[in-house]
Amino acid sequence: MDLADIGVTGLAVMGRNLARNLARHGYAVAVHNRSAGRTQQLVKEFAGEGTFVLSEELAGFVASLKRPRRAIIMVKAGAGTDAVIDQLAELMEPGDMIVDGGNAHFADTRRREAALRDKGIHFVGTGISGGEEGALNGPSIMPGGSKESWEALGPILQDISAKVDGVPCAVHVGPDGAGHFVKMVHNGIEYSDMQLIAESYDLLRQALGATPAELAQVFREWNQGELESYLIEITAEVLDQVDVATGKPFIDIVVDQAEQKGTGRWTVQSALDLGVPVTGIAEAVFARALSGHPEQRAAAASLEGPKLSGVGGRELIEDVRQALYASKIVAYAQGFDQMAAASKEYGWDLELGAMATIWRGGCIIRARFLDRIRSAYDADPTLPTLLADPTFAAAVNVAQESWRRVVTTAVQIGVPTPGFSSALAYYDGLRRERLPAALIQGLRDFFGAHTYHRVDRDGAYHTDWSGDRAERPA
């Protein structure tokens, strides 16, 4: 039997399309699914795209792979992933590779990588972004794992990835769970990006009384400039869509409850553990949570708001564009801060500029301004925040008056803009020479003797608030 170069087990939409992508690039692909019918259907339907080696049992799947074996798992994250890993590990040998291409939590990936390393098997947690279209035509790929596994897998993954200016959107991110961590942060930024776009649409529609079709044209115009991105492009498509059954704008017949699969929450939870403020991502997650409580919203529908309407004209469109760009910069700055903190915490040595490079194509957040992020880290790999980069600092400075007017307008007419507002608050907090945290620290010392530090000398101190109020070294 001819042996396969690489295998894919789990042939739902993403796994099937990834297997087809590999076959189209000339690799012999072993395919397996728990339901044999799905495997047979794939081979029957797409045999003309390349070489598929079908196996109905996992043992046959492993036996059909060239050594060192390379097997990609595309199954639902959680207990199912662990079960497949355990079964594969029993059939594999030292030097073989198990690649998890699902949306696994990075902590699970770290655990699995350590356990398989003890057996001599390489476990490669790999973030894959781009949805079903990306999986088929070229995704952004974020593999973690050992350098040895990258040497064997890297050429294949770069071959099937998206390309921008001839550069593959695939790079070795770092050891153990680094790949899945970076994919998690990518998804968190995606949450923030979509929330900011939704707020832009909502504010313009409520303030100007614009139709979805009119706003579709606005987004098309924005996509010709610095906001050019996949999400802005498809926003115009969604807003322009007309529902066939009712003749109404498609957006008006969709239930306003945004679902989520968990990666946004994971991003926020991780940021809390790392002590990194990702306020834009957090507000996006909470906005989805609020949308998912229609019974509370119905009960609160009678609460009064401002009576203003028809605020702003054509100039508001430009203000919102500027606010969207500035807030987007903040969202990415926070995401990159989180990756930098995790790199330090877990010893990953992430190259942040490379993350911007592989997000330029294939993934959901692909955008023109990722080139600027890459340039910023090329110029200064130790950049403390993207907002300190001269190019981004200048862009936000130009936008800030519009940004402030947008938040003010939203407050005046009662349109919630948690993304815009939190991004602006973060910007104002970051640029302040002194913050009111001094008062918080004083209060903590008063009620809990938690101590404080002085601006004029080293060391920790405590004031005897309930006694003579004398200050003493802690």
Side-chain angles (χ1 to χ4, degrees):
M1 179 180 67
D2 291 335
L3 297 179
D5 301 302
I6 192 166
V8 178
T9 179
L11 301 176
V13 174
M14 285 290 288
R16 179 185 65 194
N17 282 3
L18 194 64
R20 292 174 59 197
N21 188 351
L22 287 160
R24 287 177 174 187
H25 280 82
Y27 299 101
V29 186
V31 287
H32 168 267
N33 193 75
R34 185 174 60 177
S35 167
R38 183 169 286 179
T39 314
Q40 293 163 355
Q41 183 63 31
L42 167 66
V43 175
K44 178 181 177 181
E45 206 169 334
F46 303 108
E49 294 186 338
T51 301
F52 296 101
V53 180
L54 183 153
S55 295
E56 296 190 358
E57 301 294 337
L58 205 58
F61 170 75
V62 172
S64 70
L65 294 170
K66 293 178 182 175
R67 289 180 172 81
R69 302 178 179 94
R70 292 168 289 207
I72 301 175
I73 301 172
M74 297 297 291
V75 300
K76 187 176 180 180
T81 301
D82 278 317
V84 175
I85 291 169
D86 290 343
Q87 293 171 44
L88 283 173
E90 289 297 318
L91 297 166
M92 286 185 157
E93 301 169 348
D96 289 345
M97 286 153 270
I98 299 176
V99 182
D100 179 9
N103 271 335
H105 193 285
F106 78 96
D108 289 335
T109 301
R110 299 191 79 207
R111 167 179 58 80
R112 291 161 180 159
E113 193 275 338
L116 290 177
R117 191 192 323 138
D118 290 341
K119 298 181 178 181
I121 296 173
H122 298 281
F123 184 72
V124 185
T126 301
I128 300 176
S129 178
E132 57 185 278
E133 180 183 346
L136 180 61
N137 298 314
S140 174
I141 307 178
M142 296 153 261
S146 66
K147 290 181 179 178
E148 293 82 1
S149 64
W150 171 249
E151 289 174 2
L153 282 165
I156 298 177
L157 298 182
Q158 290 186 323
D159 197 13
I160 68 166
S161 72
K163 312 291 187 304
V164 177
D165 301 327
V167 178
C169 294
V171 69
H172 182 230
V173 173
D176 57 72
H180 275 144
F181 186 92
V182 167
K183 174 57 163 58
M184 177 191 76
V185 173
H186 164 283
N187 285 21
I189 293 173
E190 179 186 306
Y191 273 56
S192 183
D193 226 341
M194 286 194 285
Q195 177 64 26
L196 293 168
I197 289 170
E199 290 178 18
S200 300
Y201 149 75
D202 190 30
L203 180 57
L204 290 175
R205 189 170 186 186
Q206 299 305 318
L208 305 180
T211 67
E214 290 169 339
L215 293 177
Q217 185 56 35
V218 168
F219 278 94
R220 286 197 179 94
E221 291 171 4
W222 287 356
N223 201 45
Q224 302 305 308
E226 59 193 1
L227 280 171
E228 180 188 347
S229 67
Y230 174 68
L231 284 172
I232 294 291
E233 176 188 342
I234 65 172
T235 296
E237 296 299 316
V238 172
L239 290 178
D240 220 11
Q241 181 74 3
V242 175
D243 176 53
V244 175
T246 64
K248 295 179 180 179
F250 168 79
I251 195 70
D252 289 341
I253 59 91
V254 177
V255 174
D256 60 337
Q257 296 176 38
E259 299 177 359
Q260 50 187 313
K261 291 186 177 180
T263 47
R265 289 197 301 270
W266 292 350
T267 306
V268 177
Q269 289 163 352
S270 165
L272 290 171
D273 292 338
L274 292 167
V276 178
V278 292
T279 54
I281 298 170
E283 289 295 352
V285 172
F286 293 141
R288 292 196 190 192
L290 178 63
S291 78
H293 288 279
E295 71 291 342
Q296 290 182 329
R297 291 160 54 204
S302 61
L303 297 176
E304 293 189 5
K307 306 299 184 183
L308 294 175
S309 62
V311 176
R314 186 75 192 180
E315 66 276 8
L316 181 61
I317 295 176
E318 174 58 16
D319 280 349
V320 172
R321 185 191 71 81
Q322 294 272 19
L324 176 55
Y325 187 57
S327 299
K328 183 184 180 80
I329 292 171
V330 168
Y332 279 73
Q334 292 179 346
F336 276 79
D337 287 349
Q338 184 172 357
M339 289 190 290
S343 181
K344 183 178 180 180
E345 176 72 17
Y346 302 117
W348 287 337
D349 195 26
L350 298 182
E351 186 184 344
L352 297 181
M355 302 307 102
T357 298
I358 64 173
W359 288 350
R360 293 183 306 155
C363 70
I364 304 303
I365 64 171
R366 59 186 184 267
R368 174 191 292 191
F369 98 135
L370 283 161
D371 280 322
R372 294 187 180 182
I373 295 179
R374 180 187 60 181
S375 297
Y377 283 110
D378 284 347
D380 183 2
T382 63
L383 193 65
T385 169
L386 278 175
L387 290 166
D389 171 72
T391 300
F392 286 119
V396 173
N397 186 51
V398 167
Q400 71 161 309
E401 289 188 14
S402 291
W403 199 2
R404 296 182 193 283
R405 283 195 295 267
V406 163
V407 172
T408 300
T409 299
V411 171
Q412 286 177 333
I413 66 175
V415 173
T417 54
F420 285 147
S421 302
S422 66
L424 181 58
Y426 176 84
Y427 171 76
D428 282 338
L430 196 66
R431 66 181 184 79
R432 283 284 295 277
E433 185 176 346
R434 276 185 64 78
L435 291 167
L439 176 57
I440 294 172
Q441 203 57 20
L443 295 172
R444 293 182 74 245
D445 189 61
F446 192 108
F447 67 69
H450 292 296
T451 75
Y452 52 87
H453 293 269
R454 296 177 58 94
V455 298
D456 53 359
R457 56 181 181 267
D458 294 335
Y461 296 87
H462 167 62
T463 293
D464 185 4
W465 297 100
S466 60
D468 61 3
R469 300 213 169 186
E471 182 183 77
R472 298 177 178 83

